Amino acid sequence: MAALKVLQLTDLHIAPRAGELMLGIDTEAYFRQTLKHAVDQHGPFDLALLTGDLAQDPCVDSYQRISRHLSAFDMRCLCLPGNHDDFDLMRIYLNSGKLGCDKRLVLGNWLIVMLNSQIIGSPVGMLAEAELEFLEGTLRAHKRLPTLLAVHHHCVESGSPWMDAMRIRNSAAFLALIKQHPQVKAVTCGHVHQAFAKREAHIELFATPSSCFQFTPQSDDFSLDDTPPGYRVFRLGEDGCLQSEVFRLPIRMDDLDRNAHEY
Ligand SMILES: Nc1ncnc2c1ncn2[C@@H]1O[C@@H]2COP(=O)(O)O[C@H]2[C@H]1O
């Protein structure tokens, strides 16, 4: 069996109404371009992971539009919630054809686990006790499968204090748990709107750029960066090896309001 190819798209921030701008940009148009670029340049994919903040202000219409864009491609997709999302709506409207919100999937000889780090009403991340129990039970039940975990919030410092105040509050418990499971190869997240690759013990920790606007790395306070939208591609080998690379749209973000101080 050849390596599996998995696409990660994150932090779409799709507005409630088509055409509505956020920070000067049409996030939906950038999502469509990012998705098309990924499939054209690196597809077909065995799976796409959408790792949260799919909607900016969640509503039925935003999730239906996301569903339509994804369904235009013949690609299995798994979605998890970020701090902006409504997971109940996602489970209804991102749940048809090859699109779903399942929390685990065996793909080839790999296990994919999708975690929910949302605290409703807060931008901070947290893995509830039940989520950690689910993770531990799943890892115990699939000891022999190399595993990729996906979650919205980051679990290690990104280097931007304003962002790191929002990282998974109980990261220490999460990292202690996964370090006990040698089959866990990597954790990938969104939320930080930038790429990073770090390592804790045997586990690689990735963050992936947003499909719309990016934050400036190593920044004390909120700061927008004009780096273009991006995505991450994983290759999951039959032997348990994992490779990943970030790609970006070959465009300039001239329409981004870089002077905005918040949203
Ligand atoms: N100026 C700001 N300072 C701190 N946090 C902010 C600011 N503007 C927005 N935020 C929050 O920071 C979060 C960054 O990621 P999110 O898109 O999840 O949601 C954002 C807001 O909740």
Side-chain angles (χ1 to χ4, degrees), residues 70-89:
L70 290 169
S71 300
F73 298 88
D74 185 32
M75 180 167 69
R76 182 149 197 187
C77 301
L78 289 181
C79 306
L80 60 77
N83 45 295
H84 286 273
D85 287 308
D86 181 324
F87 199 27
D88 290 337
L89 284 184

Side-chain angles (χ1 to χ4, degrees), residues 16 40 43 59 67 72 82 87 93 120 130 170 184 186 193 197 200 205 224 234 242 249 251:
D40 286 352
C59 66
S67 172
F87 199 27
Y93 294 100
I120 291 170
N170 55 341
V184 177
H193 291 235
E200 281 272 332
L205 304 173
L224 293 167
F234 292 93
L242 175 151
L249 291 185
I251 56 162

Side-chain angles (χ1 to χ4, degrees), residues 53 58 63 80-88 90-91 115-128 131 151-153 168:
D53 284 1
Y63 291 126
L80 60 77
N83 45 295
H84 286 273
D85 287 308
D86 181 324
F87 199 27
D88 290 337
M90 286 172 64
R91 282 181 288 209
L115 296 171
N116 179 354
S117 57
Q118 183 180 30
I119 303 174
I120 291 170
S122 167
V124 177
M126 168 91 182
L127 290 164
E131 201 68 8
V151 62
H152 179 66
H153 292 85
I168 295 175

Side-chain angles (χ1 to χ4, degrees), residues 13 53 83-84 123 162-163 166 191 215 222 261-263:
H13 291 272
D53 284 1
N83 45 295
H84 286 273
W162 75 279
M163 258 286 140
M166 290 176 251
H191 190 64
F215 296 134
F222 180 94
H261 295 298
E262 61 179 0
Y263 61 82

